[in-house]
Amino acid sequence: MINYNELDNYYIGIYMPVLYNVGGVFLRLGEPKESLFYKVDDYHYVDVNYPKISAYIIKRSVPLDIKYILSEDSLRKVDSKKELVNNTKLVKRLKFNSNLYKK
């Protein structure tokens, strides 16, 4: 269940699936999608709506072998419980467990 006392760790952002990656160079990306993310650390974010999606913030000159990238420029903090509720469904809020992602 989402802990509403942790609003500072929730962000709305745009992610893109990596369709074709050669040695850390992304040659083809999928359609951008907006979702609600839980911040695990400065680089990793987990999609609250689809917890199997773990997105990574791209930093320059770092080769990566990942499935989803998250646009750092698109990230904005969730300011209220209402905004968090508007960006996810009830079942997802009840099932999401941020403790699974803490290091």
Side-chain angles (χ1 to χ4, degrees):
M1 178 180 272
I2 286 181
N3 181 352
Y4 294 103
N5 295 323
E6 293 184 316
L7 283 182
D8 288 345
N9 290 329
Y10 290 96
Y11 291 81
I12 296 168
I14 296 174
Y15 73 94
M16 294 161 279
V18 176
L19 301 177
Y20 194 60
N21 176 1
V22 177
V25 177
F26 304 120
L27 299 178
R28 188 166 173 212
L29 298 173
E31 291 294 317
K33 297 177 184 174
E34 184 174 90
S35 194
L36 177 69
F37 290 90
Y38 177 79
K39 181 179 180 179
V40 177
D41 59 32
D42 288 338
Y43 298 99
H44 298 88
Y45 292 76
V46 177
D47 191 331
V48 173
N49 295 308
Y50 304 97
K52 292 185 179 183
I53 293 179
S54 180
Y56 190 89
I57 295 283
I58 298 297
K59 300 292 182 186
R60 293 180 186 246
S61 72
V62 178
L64 303 168
D65 184 25
I66 56 176
K67 294 185 180 180
Y68 297 93
I69 61 171
L70 182 57
S71 172
E72 186 174 24
D73 295 337
S74 76
L75 284 178
R76 60 183 172 81
K77 275 191 182 222
V78 171
D79 294 327
S80 65
K81 180 179 175 181
K82 181 181 178 186
E83 191 173 21
L84 195 146
V85 168
N86 288 340
N87 283 283
T88 191
K89 295 180 180 176
L90 176 63
V91 173
K92 299 298 182 180
R93 288 193 303 274
L94 293 175
K95 288 185 175 184
F96 185 75
N97 183 358
S98 62
N99 291 327
L100 296 175
Y101 305 102
K102 293 183 180 171
K103 292 186 179 190

